[in-house]
Amino acid sequence: MPTFEKIRQIRKEKGMSLRKLHNKLQETFGNKALRYNTLYRIEKGLRKARVSSLSQICLGLGISLKEIGEAISDDYTLASVIRKNDTLAQYIYSEKAGAQILTKESQPFLALRLKLEPQARTKIEQDPIELGKFEKWIYVLKGSICCNIGKETYSINKDDTLIFESTLPHYFENKTSQKAICIIIQNPKHI
């Protein structure tokens, strides 16, 4: 049985609503408690839970990790290596702009390597606000990138970082004559 189904089954057996479980987590962990939306997504199987999140949930349910241990061992590994020659999915925005996915499907966040040739740009993207809070973190490895977020433009250079709420419309462009490369992490993952 998948982890999320096991969690839901145990919660229902204990006669506890999802809201009651969340309230219990807030009482125990305060501002470090899982957000209700995250708890909901984990239990619906829309998001994989980290072991730290599962520990919180188990504490809230009054059970040990061992009680859902069988499900955990099926779904989780301690480490995941992706070699540079491993082919995962790619986004091709144009012949001058593309991104390679660096994370596996099972991970709760999405990491991309974005390459922009001179004068290239991506398409406008916007994560759905109705599904909760989404953030993107950008780290420039080479060159300079303009990040257009809502009505604002931020220019970031090699070794600069930018973090923003990605429910705002946004796109990236390279206005220089040099190739630009950056790493983008989206959390939680939404494709």
Side-chain angles (χ1 to χ4, degrees):
M1 174 183 297
T3 304
F4 69 93
E5 287 180 9
K6 186 80 170 171
I7 291 168
R8 184 171 49 242
Q9 176 189 355
I10 292 170
R11 178 183 60 76
K12 287 182 176 181
E13 285 172 1
K14 293 189 171 275
M16 190 181 277
S17 69
L18 194 61
R19 181 60 68 189
K20 187 175 179 182
L21 174 58
H22 181 254
N23 290 341
K24 193 168 185 181
L25 295 179
Q26 285 185 312
E27 289 170 14
T28 306
F29 296 100
N31 64 358
K32 301 224 185 254
L34 291 173
R35 292 184 14 231
Y36 180 82
N37 289 347
T38 302
L39 186 59
Y40 173 84
R41 285 189 206 117
I42 289 170
E43 190 177 280
K44 290 289 185 186
L46 302 172
R47 177 180 180 167
K48 281 233 186 237
R50 290 179 247 165
V51 174
S52 61
S53 299
L54 290 173
S55 296
Q56 268 196 40
I57 292 168
C58 287
L59 218 115
L61 292 171
I63 62 171
S64 69
L65 272 172
K66 187 176 182 179
E67 290 180 63
I68 58 170
E70 186 177 315
I72 291 173
S73 65
D74 291 343
D75 294 346
Y76 296 91
T77 59
L78 293 176
S80 180
V81 176
I82 300 171
R83 304 283 180 202
K84 67 180 178 181
N85 294 329
D86 291 349
T87 303
L88 300 175
Q90 293 186 34
Y91 294 109
I92 306 297
Y93 297 101
S94 71
E95 63 183 46
K96 292 184 172 188
Q100 177 187 13
I101 293 179
L102 302 173
T103 48
K104 292 186 178 177
E105 182 67 31
S106 61
Q107 292 170 299
F109 63 92
L110 177 69
L112 304 162
R113 181 184 310 116
L114 175 66
K115 294 181 183 179
L116 296 171
E117 296 294 332
Q119 307 306 311
R121 66 175 272 187
T122 65
K123 295 176 180 158
I124 295 175
E125 300 175 356
Q126 182 175 7
D127 294 325
I129 196 164
E130 63 275 6
L131 293 181
K133 184 177 178 183
F134 291 88
E135 291 182 320
K136 283 191 179 169
W137 174 89
I138 302 165
Y139 177 76
V140 181
L141 297 168
K142 179 180 180 179
S144 178
I145 293 176
C146 285
C147 303
N148 301 282
I149 304 163
K151 295 181 180 181
E152 302 289 327
T153 299
Y154 302 87
S155 181
I156 55 175
N157 303 310
K158 183 177 187 283
D159 294 328
D160 288 346
T161 299
L162 174 72
I163 301 168
F164 67 96
E165 200 165 310
S166 56
T167 53
L168 297 168
H170 58 277
Y171 66 94
F172 312 109
E173 63 184 323
N174 178 358
K175 294 182 176 181
T176 73
S177 60
Q178 304 289 320
K179 181 195 279 191
I181 301 173
C182 67
I183 299 293
I184 300 174
I185 296 179
Q186 177 191 42
N187 189 40
K189 174 174 33 184
H190 179 265
I191 297 181

